[in-house]
Amino acid sequence: ILNVEQSPQSLHVQEGDSTNFTCSFPSSNFYALHWYRWETAKSPEALFVMTLNGDEKKKGRISATLNTKEGYSYLYIKGSQPEDSATYLCAALFYNQGGKLIFGQGTELSVKP
Amino acid sequence: DGGITQSPKYLFRKEGQNVTLSCEQNLNHDAMYWYRQDPGQGLRLIYYSQIVNDFQKGDIAEGYSVSREKKESFPLTVTSAQKNPTAFYLCASSTFYGYTFGSGTRLTVV
């Protein structure tokens, strides 16, 4: 059974703090890593798709890195704002899983003004 | 605008009843998926379909059934055999570049 693990499970920060979360996955047969942002009462929204070791992606104040050899990805948010409050999901795609994403349990971020 | 439409948003089911959750997409995606979310848990795959008239069981398929007669539609039936159906259900479709999700259906057994 393939497990994708996210930590921490929840995070409470003050507006302006920078924060980061971790996604761990098995490195064997790894193909791609996805990050999604999921606000309450909305659909999850795709942030990044990364495939190559050492990949770095950036969207505004949010960035992500990927280490496929050791099986982890970091998501960083610089200068958190209340509108960043959401659950951040990572999901991994493996060669032998028929195109199915395996999701982590998510990190719930709460940013206080 | 292209997207995925799930209906209804909220659904109440009596014990012993079958209910069907609708998922429609106009993105021309081949692959579609059904996930279930329970409090404190990640998304768990129920069923998926890579092509019309074909679908595969996911990790928690027992008590559920699906059909894929059209590319645009992937309805999920929660049968009376599903022991604990109260949950949030999310439908998705995909390309390599990522998944597009619906807004979900919250099912409650009363």
Side-chain angles (χ1 to χ4, degrees):
Chain A
I1 295 179
L2 292 168
N3 268 335
V4 175
E5 300 285 341
Q6 289 187 248
S7 62
Q9 194 166 346
S10 65
L11 198 52
H12 299 267
V13 301
Q14 289 294 132
E15 182 175 354
D17 289 349
S18 292
T19 186
N20 67 84
F21 345 119
T22 304
C23 174
S24 304
F25 52 88
S27 53
S28 174
N29 290 310
F30 171 82
Y31 181 62
L33 194 284
H34 294 218
W35 280 101
Y36 293 87
R37 181 172 178 272
W38 193 2
E39 287 183 74
T40 304
K42 294 186 178 179
S43 309
E45 169 199 356
L47 288 173
F48 306 114
V49 178
M50 297 183 288
T51 57
L52 299 176
N53 187 45
D55 243 355
E56 284 191 41
K57 301 260 181 172
K58 190 174 180 182
K59 190 185 251 189
R61 293 179 292 97
I62 304 177
S63 60
T65 61
L66 179 67
N67 183 320
T68 62
K69 294 186 178 179
E70 295 182 40
Y72 64 85
S73 175
Y74 293 138
L75 188 80
Y76 300 92
I77 302 179
K78 186 177 176 183
S80 302
Q81 300 296 308
E83 57 265 31
D84 295 328
S85 297
T87 296
Y88 291 83
L89 293 172
C90 77
L93 199 56
F94 299 92
Y95 280 104
N96 57 354
Q97 292 296 306
K100 300 174 294 177
L101 277 177
I102 311 293
F103 282 87
Q105 71 272 45
T107 292
E108 189 177 350
L109 175 67
S110 174
V111 183
K112 291 184 181 176
Chain B
D1 277 345
I4 294 187
T5 302
Q6 285 188 244
S7 62
K9 201 174 178 79
Y10 299 95
L11 188 57
F12 297 90
R13 188 196 96 170
K14 291 182 181 178
E15 286 198 31
Q17 276 185 340
N18 292 355
V19 289
T20 297
L21 283 57
S22 169
C23 178
E24 304 277 331
Q25 54 108 350
N26 60 2
L27 299 164
N28 201 34
H29 289 172
D30 286 316
M32 296 187 74
Y33 309 82
W34 274 105
Y35 289 90
R36 169 180 170 141
Q37 190 195 35
D38 294 283
Q41 294 198 37
L43 293 173
R44 292 186 292 165
L45 183 64
I46 304 171
Y47 267 99
Y48 66 105
S49 168
Q50 304 279 30
I51 198 168
V52 175
N53 291 322
D54 187 48
F55 47 82
Q56 310 293 331
K57 291 182 180 180
D59 301 318
I60 55 165
E62 187 175 345
Y64 299 97
S65 66
V66 293
S67 63
R68 187 85 187 277
E69 295 174 5
K70 298 185 299 181
K71 190 174 187 177
E72 302 79 22
S73 179
F74 192 40
L76 174 74
T77 297
V78 184
T79 75
S80 56
Q82 168 50 236
K83 298 284 184 260
N84 185 20
T86 294
F88 184 75
Y89 292 87
L90 205 54
C91 177
S93 68
S94 75
T95 66
F96 164 77
Y97 299 101
Y99 279 29
T100 301
F101 288 90
S103 53
T105 294
R106 185 164 299 280
L107 173 64
T108 305
V109 173
V110 294

